Amino acid sequence: MAFKGVLYLYIALLASVSLLSYRKGLYLVWLTLLLFPLVILQTGIKLHLSLMAVLMLGSVISELRFSESRSIYSGFVHNNLRAILLFGLVSLCVAFMSQTVPLGTQLRIVLNEFIAFSFALQTFLLLKRDANAANTLLYIICGVVIFNAIYCTFFELYLRFNPAGAPLYLALGIYDEEYMVDAVESERGGLDLRAQTVYGHPLSLGQYLLVLLPLFLMKSKVWLKSLYVFIITVLVVLSGTRGAMAPMALVLLLGYKDAFKKVLARFPLVLLAVVISFSFLSDRTVKKMSKEVEPYIASLQFWDDQKQKENDIQGSSMEMRIDQFEAAQEEIADNPVFGRGYGYREYWQNKHNTFHPDLLGYESVLIYYLVERGWLGLLFFFAMAFYIYKLFRKETSNGLFIKLIFLGWILSIVMTGVRPLTLLFVCLAGSIVCGVNKLDSHSVVENR
């Protein structure tokens, strides 16, 4: 009860700020989503809404008090009415036509999704007309990245203790080990721990930073951009999340393609320098270096089961994913179009007090959404992702960074699990790119 009381006070604080300035309220809500552990964000408040849903809904309502904002929202709804109606229709069809999860539970999940999309839309529309807000949110993300770096270094690397892991769950009275993740003692490849900071799972840390990474590939001071890219790269590697590391490598390659072209142009000289350098090393040193690097490379080669066994890498292999996909199709064999219903994974785990023996952690969006929402929901998800991409793409003259955000996101969720806030952060990153692009365009016009 005392914990709930603190949350009510926090809601009152945010509501007060939002009433004074909905922009500042929106910034505080994003800061909350970026820094609060998921177990706190998902705490139920009133009317079956979670804390984060209450905060996001309050932020949207605080802006809709103004007739100008209502006009902007109504214009967007009018221009995208068919897509919005289709989203509602598909969501309700899955909820009513799926067979397993209680209807009330599914409708609550659909409502929470609708609120999250409304908040993402609020951010998008705000940054379209107030480009300076994009820089404010970018500064907030810069602070969050630094916070995660300090938190990881001090608690996870130095103290080998994560207050936001199992200790937080125990303090909140959650004793079910199936839901407690404390990765400080986990191993992956050549790492003897997996960073998760405040995000409750290493995969969350990896995915969240992956979709925010392209923001730091945009124009800025070279040393500052390099610093943030380095910090994010290290944190993603420390998370041990192969489903984030491999897409990150591709995002960096495309983001720095001009620099890589220069390197490739001088490749013969670089190769010669490497060969000469290695010629001065003893065979023993070279073998030792190769042995130390091999586990890191093998951890990326999740498709090579033999490599995983040789390097004692635990986690989902390609063979496991194929088995899970086959199990997913068997799971919905009696209702392949609509699946088992929203929230089926948690529903099954709560009912049986363990993970599903065949689906385990639902290691890909192809498995997770197929089981939850059937073939209809899975295909509609990709159609919706493409539609959101097109919305962002229309607002930018240079679509490279939008492409990098969505490329990293889609590759990650196909390769590994879907995390609760990843899509929200994709929308945040896309909105910031649009806002910064607009601000840069204005600067160019003024300089002329």
Side-chain angles (χ1 to χ4, degrees), residues 82-379:
R82 283 187 294 182
I84 294 171
L85 290 177
L86 187 59
F87 168 74
L89 178 62
V90 172
S91 299
L92 292 177
C93 281
V94 170
F96 280 96
M97 300 301 291
S98 56
Q99 300 176 327
T100 308
V101 183
L103 179 61
T105 300
Q106 295 195 64
L107 291 179
R108 288 195 291 271
I109 294 173
V110 171
L111 176 59
N112 277 272
E113 279 197 0
F114 177 78
I115 291 172
F117 276 120
S118 299
F119 180 65
L121 175 61
Q122 179 193 20
T123 305
F124 173 63
L125 294 179
L126 172 62
L127 270 56
K128 275 185 64 175
R129 65 185 190 274
D130 183 5
N132 288 318
N135 273 340
T136 301
L137 284 169
L138 185 55
Y139 293 147
I140 288 173
I141 292 174
C142 288
V144 168
V145 170
I146 296 298
F147 167 81
N148 275 285
I150 295 173
Y151 186 100
C152 176
T153 302
F154 182 72
F155 286 109
E156 296 178 308
L157 294 177
Y158 179 65
L159 295 181
R160 292 291 177 135
F161 165 76
N162 185 1
L168 176 62
Y169 283 79
L170 294 174
L172 295 176
I174 303 173
Y175 300 100
D176 190 342
E177 292 185 1
E178 297 290 350
Y179 297 99
M180 287 190 289
V181 179
D182 205 340
V184 174
E185 299 301 328
S186 300
E187 295 184 8
R188 174 62 63 88
L191 302 172
D192 62 352
L193 63 76
R194 295 185 67 189
Q196 68 188 53
T197 66
V198 297
Y199 295 126
H201 198 286
L203 178 53
S204 295
L205 176 65
Q207 268 190 8
Y208 297 166
L209 292 181
L210 168 66
V211 299
L212 296 175
L213 174 61
L215 296 178
F216 299 96
L217 299 176
M218 295 189 293
K219 290 182 179 179
S220 63
K221 293 181 179 178
V222 175
W223 71 268
L224 192 61
K225 179 168 69 175
S226 301
L227 173 64
Y228 277 100
V229 169
F230 174 76
I231 292 173
I232 290 175
T233 301
V234 170
L235 286 173
V236 172
V237 170
L238 287 176
S239 76
T241 304
R242 291 168 290 177
M245 285 191 285
M248 180 182 70
L250 181 58
V251 167
L252 290 175
L253 179 64
L254 295 175
Y256 285 106
K257 61 180 179 181
D258 291 337
F260 280 114
K261 284 180 181 178
K262 293 179 181 179
V263 172
L264 289 176
R266 301 172 181 174
F267 181 74
L269 292 176
V270 174
L271 181 61
L272 179 61
V274 171
V275 171
I276 292 174
S277 299
F278 268 83
S279 67
F280 286 99
L281 299 176
S282 65
D283 290 342
R284 183 178 178 182
T285 302
V286 172
K287 289 179 180 179
K288 185 179 179 181
M289 290 172 60
S290 176
K291 187 176 181 180
E292 290 178 352
V293 170
E294 185 179 0
Y296 295 98
I297 298 175
S299 66
L300 291 174
Q301 296 173 295
F302 69 95
W303 60 85
D304 192 330
D305 296 331
Q306 185 60 37
K307 286 271 188 182
Q308 310 301 301
K309 293 177 182 177
E310 290 175 358
N311 291 276
D312 193 28
I313 298 174
Q314 304 298 316
S316 304
S317 62
M318 177 62 79
E319 182 182 358
M320 182 186 295
R321 285 174 171 82
I322 293 173
D323 291 342
Q324 285 182 352
F325 187 70
E326 293 174 353
Q329 294 180 76
E330 293 177 8
E331 189 75 18
I332 62 168
D334 56 347
N335 193 9
V337 177
F338 301 104
R340 292 294 185 181
Y342 289 91
Y344 177 71
R345 177 175 61 184
E346 289 72 21
Y347 171 82
W348 198 96
Q349 288 175 187
N350 288 330
K351 185 176 180 180
H352 299 276
N353 198 33
T354 185
F355 288 124
H356 194 290
D358 299 315
L359 297 172
L360 301 172
Y362 297 71
E363 309 296 340
S364 169
V365 68
L366 302 175
I367 300 164
Y368 182 42
Y369 277 8
L370 180 60
V371 173
E372 271 204 348
R373 310 176 189 194
W375 284 105
L376 173 66
L378 177 62
L379 294 176

